[in-house]
Amino acid sequence: MKRLYNWTLSLADHPYAMWALVIVAFAESSFFPIPPDLLMIPMIIARPNKAFVIAGLAMAASVIGGLLGYAIGALAFEQIGRPILEALGKADAAAEFNTRFNDMGFWPVLIAGLTPFPYKVITIMSGWTGMPLGTFLVASIVARGGRFFIVAALLWKFGDPIRGFIEKRLGLTLTLFLAILLGGFALVRFL
C-alpha cells in the first residue's frame, strides 16, 4: 500500500499530471484505494492559478467514476461489488446497511463524498440498493464538488502552509461539520 501511495503521489510531477488526476479520481470512486487529493494538493501548490480547473477535473472524473461504482452495484454486485467491499472490510455491514440506505435519501452519498469515508463503498451501495440515479448524481456532484473545491480554495488562498491541515484535519473537520448539520436538522425536526 505504501508503494501505491508513493507512486500516486509521484504522478503530481509528471507532464501528464492532469490526465493522471482524472484517472485516479475516476478509479477512486469505484475501486482504487488512494484518494485523488494526494495528486491535487501538490498540483495546486505548484500551479495555484489552475486550482479550480484542477478541482473541476477531479470532481467530473470522480462523479463519472461514481457512475461506474453505481453500475457495479446495480449490475455486478455479487461478482465485483461484494469482493471490493470485502477487501475494504465492509461486506458484513453492507447487508444491514442495505435495509436503511435508500430511506436516508442523498445523505449517505453526500457524507461519503465529503468525508474520508471510502466513496467507492457508497457508489457501489447506491447501485446495489437501487437508489434513484438522479438523487445519486446530484448528491455526488454536490459532495465531490464541495470536497475538491474546498481543498482548491484553501490551497489557492493560503498555499503550502495549509497543506498539513488539509492532509491531517480536513476530513475530520468536514465530518464534524456534517455531524453538527445533521444534529441541527434532527433537533429542529423534534422541536
Side-chain angles (χ1 to χ4, degrees):
M1 190 67 148
K2 183 70 171 167
R3 271 192 293 193
L4 185 59
Y5 176 90
N6 289 333
W7 174 79
T8 303
L9 194 56
S10 74
L11 292 174
D13 292 329
H14 197 276
Y16 297 106
M18 291 286 206
W19 284 107
L21 175 65
V22 166
I23 291 167
V24 168
F26 174 86
E28 184 269 339
S29 295
S30 50
F31 62 88
F32 193 65
I34 307 295
D37 307 68
L38 290 180
L39 283 173
M40 279 184 53
I41 292 169
M43 287 172 67
I44 292 171
I45 289 172
R47 290 176 240 125
N49 60 326
K50 300 257 186 206
F52 300 106
V53 170
I54 292 168
L57 284 172
M59 179 197 71
S62 183
V63 170
I64 293 168
L67 288 171
L68 174 61
Y70 186 97
I72 289 170
L75 305 173
F77 182 77
E78 290 302 321
Q79 300 83 359
I80 299 171
R82 184 175 301 282
I84 291 172
L85 293 177
E86 286 172 355
L88 295 168
K90 303 290 184 193
D92 293 337
E96 178 187 330
F97 192 62
N98 185 21
T99 60
R100 299 174 303 185
F101 188 79
N102 285 341
D103 292 339
M104 292 184 254
F106 69 91
W107 289 107
V109 178
L110 182 69
I111 291 167
L114 284 171
T115 66
F117 186 83
Y119 181 60
K120 67 194 79 24
V121 172
I122 293 298
T123 66
I124 293 168
M125 294 292 294
S126 295
W128 180 43
T129 62
M131 174 182 276
L133 187 58
T135 301
F136 173 77
L137 277 173
V138 169
S140 292
I141 291 167
V142 170
R144 298 314 263 183
R147 176 175 171 157
F148 297 139
F149 280 97
I150 287 170
V151 168
L154 288 171
L155 288 169
W156 177 76
K157 177 75 174 162
F158 300 107
D160 199 31
I162 196 78
R163 182 179 190 165
F165 170 80
I166 290 171
E167 290 176 347
K168 294 184 175 118
R169 294 181 191 91
L170 184 62
L172 176 63
T173 302
L174 289 172
T175 302
L176 289 173
F177 170 76
L178 284 170
I180 291 168
L181 180 67
L182 292 174
F185 283 143
L187 185 62
V188 167
R189 185 176 182 192
F190 290 112
L191 287 178

